[in-house]
Amino acid sequence: MTPVIQLAAVGKRFGTISALDGVSLEVRAGELVGLLGPNGAGKTTLLRVLEGLLPADSGTVRLCGEDPRRPHARLSLGATPQETALPDTLRVRELLRFVSDHYPHNRREEVIDSFALAGLLKRQVGALSGGQKRRVAVALAFIGAPRVVLLDEPTTGLDVEGRHALWQAIRSAHTDHTAIVITSHYIEEVEVLAQRVVIMDRGRTLMDRPTREIVTGRNSQHVHFTVGRAEEPRVRSLLRAHACTTTRGEAATRFAVSTDDPDSVVRLISESGLAFREISIEKPSLESAFLAAIRQNRAPSAEGMSS
Ligand SMILES: Nc1ncnc2c1ncn2[C@@H]1O[C@H](COP(=O)(O)OP(=O)(O)OP(=O)(O)O)[C@@H](O)[C@H]1O
């Protein structure tokens, strides 16, 4: 099956800033992909290029096989930007109809159901709470039965309950025919919703893996400890069979050992007589994988030592 999203070596600059630096990504129908990255990583730029709102400087961008700058291609697209300005005077029912009338097909009734909008249909948009407006804005992305839905930080500003309700609604509106890309600063949100995680930083993709593999994959646990700089060669020799990264301070070096069996690593270190300190075991989580990827990307001096 041809991917519904295809980005190949896409570049986008704003003056001296390289917002996208050779990004490649393919997403197929039915996938729900979480796009994570710190502020300024390039997530919104990537979505705007896919929406046909920004031209890429280089590379190719295809939405259901077409150039997204062509209006016809955008009939297969539903999107909720980070900030939405909905018309205050329309009633919710009128707004849903207005937007769905732009598409050849619509899923109005299913979307009203999935996003629990029945009680809001007669209300004027301007009188809705922030959370209710957000629910309506995200629902609008699904209303034209699109093949691709792009959600830019869909739950930012919602309380915990509102966020959980919106996750449930997105899950219920997601079908095998729809691909969803969702950006978020809530790592838990991506962990709960996405089957696949793409981590970006400084315009590049650092990781693209199934969510489950990140949290249960091989060597996904880490043992951290610190030793004096003079001890570094001994530690390297002791742990030569393990994948490690090191971060050097002036007098000390902090090791992070990737392993499936943290107990045996702790035993090895403690039985070696090394003068180590601040030892800890880090359980696998998307958050730790995210932080490690960003840390590694931003600290070229941090040295890799592989098995
Ligand atoms: N229209 C623009 N003009 C100039 N620079 C821009 C423009 N849009 C984005 N940038 C810059 O491009 C880089 C990527 O921005 P982008 O908004 O894509 O990041 P992001 O990952 O979505 O960040 P955030 O999580 O803060 O929303 C940033 O350095 C940003 O300042």
Side-chain angles (χ1 to χ4, degrees):
M1 202 181 2
T2 318
V4 288
I5 291 175
Q6 290 171 294
L7 298 177
V10 171
K12 179 73 195 172
R13 295 188 75 85
F14 297 104
T16 55
I17 296 168
S18 187
L20 297 178
D21 185 6
V23 172
S24 296
L25 177 70
E26 291 196 344
V27 182
R28 290 168 197 280
E31 281 195 286
L32 202 163
V33 177
L35 192 52
L36 284 175
N39 290 128
K43 306 179 296 294
T44 300
T45 305
L46 189 150
L47 297 194
R48 297 190 74 212
V49 165
L50 266 174
E51 288 160 12
L53 298 173
L54 275 179
D57 297 336
S58 52
T60 50
V61 184
R62 290 290 174 267
L63 189 65
C64 299
E66 293 190 74
D67 183 338
R69 283 172 302 173
R70 295 185 54 211
H72 180 261
R74 296 204 293 270
L75 288 175
S76 54
L77 175 72
T80 306
Q82 240 173 67
E83 280 154 32
T84 36
L86 303 174
D88 281 349
T89 52
L90 285 188
R91 295 185 192 284
V92 171
R93 186 195 299 283
E94 293 166 335
L95 178 62
L96 297 183
R97 184 161 300 138
F98 176 74
V99 175
S100 62
D101 282 351
H102 286 78
Y103 290 92
H105 307 287
N106 80 71
R107 291 176 61 204
R108 212 162 41 219
E109 297 312 316
E110 291 140 271
V111 163
I112 289 170
D113 205 32
S114 297
F115 286 83
L117 298 179
L120 301 179
L121 292 175
K122 292 184 187 153
R123 303 266 301 273
Q124 276 194 313
V125 172
L128 299 178
S129 73
Q132 290 167 332
K133 274 188 196 158
R134 201 66 199 147
R135 192 142 47 95
V136 171
V138 176
L140 290 175
F142 288 88
I143 208 153
R147 293 179 66 197
V148 175
V149 172
L150 305 177
L151 304 176
D152 200 357
E153 299 188 23
T155 65
T156 295
L158 293 187
D159 61 20
V160 177
E161 207 183 326
R163 198 176 306 147
H164 283 256
L166 204 46
W167 293 349
Q168 185 53 41
I170 292 169
R171 260 202 230 101
S172 129
H174 183 213
T175 68
D176 288 349
H177 307 290
T178 318
I180 304 180
V181 177
I182 179 167
T183 78
S184 182
H185 285 291
Y186 300 114
I187 290 180
E188 184 199 358
E189 178 160 298
V190 168
E191 199 158 11
V192 166
L193 284 178
Q195 302 132 358
R196 181 176 152 201
V197 177
V198 175
I199 298 178
M200 286 185 73
D201 189 27
R202 296 177 171 169
R204 293 176 181 218
T205 31
L206 306 182
M207 188 186 285
D208 181 351
R209 287 175 69 187
T211 318
R212 203 178 318 130
E213 234 179 59
I214 295 177
V215 289
T216 60
R218 216 181 142 252
N219 287 342
S220 57
Q221 301 192 60
H222 293 93
V223 177
H224 299 267
F225 63 95
T226 302
V227 291
R229 287 280 299 261
E231 296 275 35
E232 221 187 287
R234 246 189 96 198
V235 179
R236 284 175 180 280
S237 159
L238 186 70
L239 296 174
R240 62 189 171 278
H242 295 268
C244 303
T245 56
T246 55
T247 310
R248 289 205 184 102
E250 252 172 50
T253 300
R254 183 124 183 104
F255 279 80
V257 189
S258 308
T259 178
D260 286 329
D261 184 2
D263 293 336
S264 75
V265 173
V266 171
R267 216 174 293 122
L268 185 68
I269 296 165
S270 56
E271 285 171 1
S272 70
L274 271 171
F276 63 86
R277 56 190 162 85
E278 293 161 4
I279 194 161
S280 64
I281 295 174
E282 191 183 17
K283 291 283 172 200
S285 71
L286 184 53
E287 181 160 329
S288 57
F290 173 74
L291 292 173
I294 302 299
R295 210 166 36 229
Q296 229 164 2
N297 190 44
R298 295 193 170 198
S301 60
E303 210 174 292
M305 179 175 123
S306 57
S307 54

